[in-house]
Amino acid sequence: MQHQETNFFKEQLRTGEALYLPSISVDCVIFGFHAGQFKVLLLKYKHNNKWALPGGFVYKDEDVENAAIRVLNERTQLKDIFLQQFYLFGDVERSKEKHAEKLLQEEGIEDIDAHWLQQRFVTAGYYALVEYNKVKPVPDALSSECTWHSITDLPDLIIDHKQIIEKGLQVLRRQLNFQPVGYNLLPEVFPIKELQLIYETILGKKLDRANFQRKILSYGILDKKEKHYSGGAHKAPYLYSFNKESYFKALENGLAKEW
Amino acid sequence: MQHQETNFFKEQLRTGEALYLPSISVDCVIFGFHAGQFKVLLLKYKHNNKWALPGGFVYKDEDVENAAIRVLNERTQLKDIFLQQFYLFGDVERSKEKHAEKLLQEEGIEDIDAHWLQQRFVTAGYYALVEYNKVKPVPDALSSECTWHSITDLPDLIIDHKQIIEKGLQVLRRQLNFQPVGYNLLPEVFPIKELQLIYETILGKKLDRANFQRKILSYGILDKKEKHYSGGAHKAPYLYSFNKESYFKALENGLAKEW
DNA sequence: TTATATTGTGTCAAGCTGACACAATATAAC
DNA sequence: GTTATATTGTGTCAGCTTGACACAATATAA
């Protein structure tokens, strides 16, 4: 099975030029939230032990966005992921690292100099928001691992992938009031404190608990559940779920109040 | 001169495959503000009399952003234009119109079916903010006109250029508090009312004059000038200019108050 | 000289923000 | 079983912001 996949990928590396749109790739910054921290899903390349964002190429008859959706499905085993294109990384300089060269060598591809993978690529950055616990990370044929990494403690990344993550976070921060951030990162029901932690992480600052509670409830986008939470040695919080209808309606105009 | 340019362009159409990155183009939504209205700069193609955004291709050793800068310089004769990438339009469907086919025919290019211009293109959308009166619109070799059009009254546009403009406006609207909108659209000195009109146009709603005045001044980003304005039969307003330093500092965190 | 449109500034009620207070309570420690 | 601890739900309140409107000042047109 693993062997078969590798052959499939080798085959694609050989026939890629015929299959894919030249010069353009997609890379996905997959955000998850766990234990009070933001995480991104990264792949570890076999050939150089460096980490990279899950990415891929665009079939000649495929929407660019669909290529990103493919990559996401393959790495996370999830369907219907929330996805947002955030930037096209188009500098000449980003192709200078010759990352592809060693990869091709390692895979035993001939004619490396003229290989399509060696050409210049621009890449479209997409960020995804996923529910951490639902994801089953799957490495691709060129990778040995696919694991979560805290955004505050990233490993060595290929090319400009670190900048791509940072840009993704920056855009997410600015779009916070217009994106269904909590809805996609949290499970169906959750205590308000979890949502507050997400907002604090994205905004990079502490928020007053009482004020956050009052404000988020004032939008009328949360439904209170009867159930209680079982956690630490303290009073149990109520659980809430998003009222999808009013939440998405509120997002159209943005959650306008300040945080 | 005009003839020479045409030949230059014909030459480029022939040698484009060798010069340009395949599959990718840039299109610029150039916004100006005049007579209380938002305008975009459009080109009218000779071969089909349809209008289009100023656009172009990316040299193989050129940053994508630089390609957009080239296009802007050529069409407006301006340097140091404020420019913002806002979206990559990457659907398969957008290449279906066969817009290139007639163009190539018209220009007398042979081997049309295999021509590189006929392939699928994805395009990076950039918006620019320019000072209307400083622009000297220049058509390119394939166009008969390069003129301003009110965004409320757009002509027939090729492919998805209308959607590109709309997306650009939408992004501009959401980024309003983070972009130096007034600084780039207005002349060095201006009355506050002009700035208010820009905000009203982008936001699509009327703002209270007195409140706008108080709020914009409260940011401390405007310097009051001694000079007065000469206009209609009424009290003359003060003129202001942006205090560049405090303006850009304020934009880092966004002009956070609501409009 | 008068009319008109628009400006600079003022007022004020209603609502929101940020900071802090305090009783209630689910579990852990003893 | 009792007590300690951390965290929750809710309350208060001064200070600020918002939105709506008021009114005198004034540059030009009539």
PDB file of all heavy atoms in Angstrom, chain A residues 57 84 87 208 213 240:
ATOM      1  N   PHE A  57      -0.310  20.563  -6.676  1.00  0.00           N
ATOM      2  CA  PHE A  57      -0.406  21.253  -7.951  1.00  0.00           C
ATOM      3  C   PHE A  57      -1.838  21.241  -8.461  1.00  0.00           C
ATOM      4  O   PHE A  57      -2.700  20.548  -7.922  1.00  0.00           O
ATOM      5  CB  PHE A  57       0.546  20.591  -8.945  1.00  0.00           C
ATOM      6  CG  PHE A  57       1.960  20.578  -8.434  1.00  0.00           C
ATOM      7  CD1 PHE A  57       2.529  19.409  -7.937  1.00  0.00           C
ATOM      8  CD2 PHE A  57       2.705  21.749  -8.400  1.00  0.00           C
ATOM      9  CE1 PHE A  57       3.823  19.402  -7.433  1.00  0.00           C
ATOM     10  CE2 PHE A  57       3.998  21.753  -7.892  1.00  0.00           C
ATOM     11  CZ  PHE A  57       4.558  20.576  -7.402  1.00  0.00           C
ATOM     12  N   GLN A  84      -9.953  29.332   2.964  1.00  0.00           N
ATOM     13  CA  GLN A  84      -9.912  30.729   2.543  1.00  0.00           C
ATOM     14  C   GLN A  84      -8.586  31.030   1.854  1.00  0.00           C
ATOM     15  O   GLN A  84      -7.530  30.843   2.443  1.00  0.00           O
ATOM     16  CB  GLN A  84     -10.063  31.617   3.783  1.00  0.00           C
ATOM     17  CG  GLN A  84     -10.390  33.047   3.503  1.00  0.00           C
ATOM     18  CD  GLN A  84     -11.816  33.239   3.035  1.00  0.00           C
ATOM     19  OE1 GLN A  84     -12.688  32.449   3.369  1.00  0.00           O
ATOM     20  NE2 GLN A  84     -12.044  34.272   2.244  1.00  0.00           N
ATOM     21  N   TYR A  87      -3.345  34.668  -0.049  1.00  0.00           N
ATOM     22  CA  TYR A  87      -2.290  35.441  -0.709  1.00  0.00           C
ATOM     23  C   TYR A  87      -1.628  34.606  -1.793  1.00  0.00           C
ATOM     24  O   TYR A  87      -1.521  33.385  -1.675  1.00  0.00           O
ATOM     25  CB  TYR A  87      -1.232  35.886   0.311  1.00  0.00           C
ATOM     26  CG  TYR A  87      -0.398  37.062  -0.154  1.00  0.00           C
ATOM     27  CD1 TYR A  87      -0.958  38.327  -0.236  1.00  0.00           C
ATOM     28  CD2 TYR A  87       0.937  36.898  -0.532  1.00  0.00           C
ATOM     29  CE1 TYR A  87      -0.211  39.410  -0.664  1.00  0.00           C
ATOM     30  CE2 TYR A  87       1.695  37.987  -0.960  1.00  0.00           C
ATOM     31  CZ  TYR A  87       1.104  39.233  -1.017  1.00  0.00           C
ATOM     32  OH  TYR A  87       1.836  40.311  -1.450  1.00  0.00           O
ATOM     33  N   ASP A 208     -10.726  40.436  29.002  1.00  0.00           N
ATOM     34  CA  ASP A 208     -11.420  40.286  30.283  1.00  0.00           C
ATOM     35  C   ASP A 208     -12.546  39.265  30.131  1.00  0.00           C
ATOM     36  O   ASP A 208     -13.405  39.390  29.259  1.00  0.00           O
ATOM     37  CB  ASP A 208     -11.973  41.645  30.715  1.00  0.00           C
ATOM     38  CG  ASP A 208     -12.665  41.554  32.056  1.00  0.00           C
ATOM     39  OD1 ASP A 208     -13.862  41.164  32.085  1.00  0.00           O
ATOM     40  OD2 ASP A 208     -12.016  41.833  33.067  1.00  0.00           O
ATOM     41  N   GLN A 213     -17.603  37.455  27.797  1.00  0.00           N
ATOM     42  CA  GLN A 213     -18.839  36.704  27.946  1.00  0.00           C
ATOM     43  C   GLN A 213     -20.056  37.562  27.590  1.00  0.00           C
ATOM     44  O   GLN A 213     -20.899  37.175  26.783  1.00  0.00           O
ATOM     45  CB  GLN A 213     -18.950  36.239  29.405  1.00  0.00           C
ATOM     46  CG  GLN A 213     -20.034  35.236  29.653  1.00  0.00           C
ATOM     47  CD  GLN A 213     -19.472  33.986  30.318  1.00  0.00           C
ATOM     48  OE1 GLN A 213     -18.268  33.741  30.272  1.00  0.00           O
ATOM     49  NE2 GLN A 213     -20.327  33.198  30.911  1.00  0.00           N
ATOM     50  N   TYR A 240     -22.222  25.877  25.140  1.00  0.00           N
ATOM     51  CA  TYR A 240     -22.948  26.608  24.112  1.00  0.00           C
ATOM     52  C   TYR A 240     -22.690  25.981  22.747  1.00  0.00           C
ATOM     53  O   TYR A 240     -21.702  25.265  22.560  1.00  0.00           O
ATOM     54  CB  TYR A 240     -22.486  28.068  24.064  1.00  0.00           C
ATOM     55  CG  TYR A 240     -22.919  28.873  25.258  1.00  0.00           C
ATOM     56  CD1 TYR A 240     -22.170  28.870  26.433  1.00  0.00           C
ATOM     57  CD2 TYR A 240     -24.082  29.636  25.221  1.00  0.00           C
ATOM     58  CE1 TYR A 240     -22.567  29.605  27.543  1.00  0.00           C
ATOM     59  CE2 TYR A 240     -24.487  30.370  26.321  1.00  0.00           C
ATOM     60  CZ  TYR A 240     -23.723  30.350  27.484  1.00  0.00           C
ATOM     61  OH  TYR A 240     -24.122  31.080  28.565  1.00  0.00           O
TER      62      TYR A 240
END
